[in-house]
Amino acid sequence: MANTNPNWVDEFESKGYAVIKDFATNEECDEMKAEMYRVLNELEITAEHMAVFSSSDEEKFEASKWDYFFKSAGKVRYFFEKDALKEDGTLTVPKDRSICKVALALHWHNEVFKRFSFSNKMKMEPMKLCGLFLALDDANEETGCMWFIPESHRKSGDRRLGADASKFTPCLAKKGSLVLIHGLVVHKNNNNETNEPKNAYTMHLVEQEGTTWSPDNWLQSTEEFPFTPLYSN
């Protein structure tokens, strides 16, 4: 792993996020992209797939009545972009551009993503909660890169409330780069409104020892599928 940002640890502690360049090889990125295209090509859209992922409070409340969304820790779920589906379930755009997220147990049920997720390079020491955003394509302002409010992980208060839009800073990531996200930093990403792809593989790592998982979190562990230990798999 030829990381060209040797100061990423200091950057992470200071700003709440950091980019680790060349975390994944081009071959690893291309393999995961090809596998996702294969999965989507075989997907037959049914009524249960009529879910749109949104991080807005109003739309999230509406989603609370869907078992598809909240009882999905052990399953692979498909969430579509807003306006990608008509009411009758037909697509307004090509299938590979209609998907917002494929979640949540992709890392366990798909062999390609499982092999990468439990590889040695993923076994880092998080502080309680870390987010990982691996760019499988270049992510920039036009294609919908991550945006952060630097140092917001040091602030107190409820981070689910509205944030000052003027304080967000774009975080550009070249293909193969890993964006490491502090569990408390305020972040977002915008829609990709270009004709260029922006594929990414995301994960969350949480330290389970001495940690209480909030019942307000939209993803909940279940008896059937508890959160997967990283180091024992």
Side-chain angles (χ1 to χ4, degrees):
M1 180 171 61
N3 177 32
T4 55
N5 179 14
N7 300 316
W8 69 266
V9 174
D10 292 338
E11 185 178 331
F12 178 77
E13 293 291 344
S14 172
K15 296 167 62 176
Y17 64 95
V19 177
I20 306 175
K21 297 180 180 178
D22 301 318
F23 184 84
T25 65
N26 282 339
E27 290 76 15
E28 288 172 324
C29 293
D30 292 342
E31 182 184 30
M32 285 186 277
K33 286 169 59 179
E35 177 64 9
M36 184 48 57
Y37 285 128
R38 183 195 68 79
V39 169
L40 292 179
N41 187 56
E42 296 179 358
L43 174 66
E44 295 185 10
I45 301 174
T46 64
E48 75 163 354
H49 295 125
M50 301 285 284
V52 174
F53 185 89
S54 172
S55 59
S56 71
D57 288 341
E58 180 179 353
E59 294 184 47
K60 188 184 295 184
F61 176 78
E62 287 298 314
S64 66
K65 52 190 180 181
W66 298 337
D67 285 348
Y68 186 84
F69 189 88
F70 282 91
K71 296 182 180 179
S72 54
K75 301 177 175 63
V76 177
R77 297 299 206 192
Y78 301 86
F79 298 96
F80 289 85
E81 294 279 11
K82 188 176 182 180
D83 301 325
L85 284 172
K86 297 180 182 178
E87 291 185 3
D88 62 1
T90 58
L91 293 171
T92 61
V93 293
K95 191 188 293 183
D96 64 331
R97 297 185 61 80
S98 67
I99 290 288
C100 173
K101 296 178 184 292
V102 178
L104 291 144
L106 183 69
H107 67 287
W108 190 250
H109 293 301
N110 183 287
E111 288 302 318
V112 171
F113 288 92
K114 184 176 184 179
R115 184 168 62 249
F116 184 85
S117 300
F118 294 98
S119 63
N120 287 333
K121 67 170 62 180
M122 299 297 288
K123 295 178 179 178
M124 57 186 71
E125 294 293 336
M127 64 304 299
K128 296 300 181 184
L129 177 63
C130 267
L132 308 177
F133 175 100
L134 178 66
L136 303 183
D137 294 304
D138 292 350
N140 53 49
E141 293 183 53
E142 289 73 32
T143 60
C145 63
M146 298 294 299
W147 292 69
F148 297 92
I149 297 182
E151 302 183 10
S152 57
H153 65 304
R154 301 174 181 270
K155 310 294 183 182
S156 60
D158 192 340
R159 290 165 178 80
R160 293 171 294 185
L161 300 178
D164 184 346
S166 67
K167 294 183 179 180
F168 279 100
T169 299
C171 179
L172 310 185
K174 300 291 288 183
K175 178 180 178 179
S177 296
L178 181 75
V179 182
L180 187 62
I181 306 168
H182 193 286
L184 296 179
V185 73
V186 178
H187 60 281
K188 68 172 185 175
N189 75 320
N190 298 328
N191 292 337
N192 179 6
E193 297 183 354
T194 74
N195 291 323
E196 299 298 320
K198 189 214 70 179
N199 292 285
Y201 183 46
T202 65
M203 292 182 67
H204 290 90
L205 302 181
V206 59
E207 182 180 337
Q208 297 191 44
E209 184 175 352
T211 299
T212 300
W213 189 255
S214 172
D216 293 334
N217 291 336
W218 60 266
L219 179 61
Q220 296 294 328
S221 179
T222 65
E223 291 185 8
E224 177 187 5
F225 195 88
F227 292 149
T228 314
L230 178 61
Y231 284 87
S232 60
N233 284 280

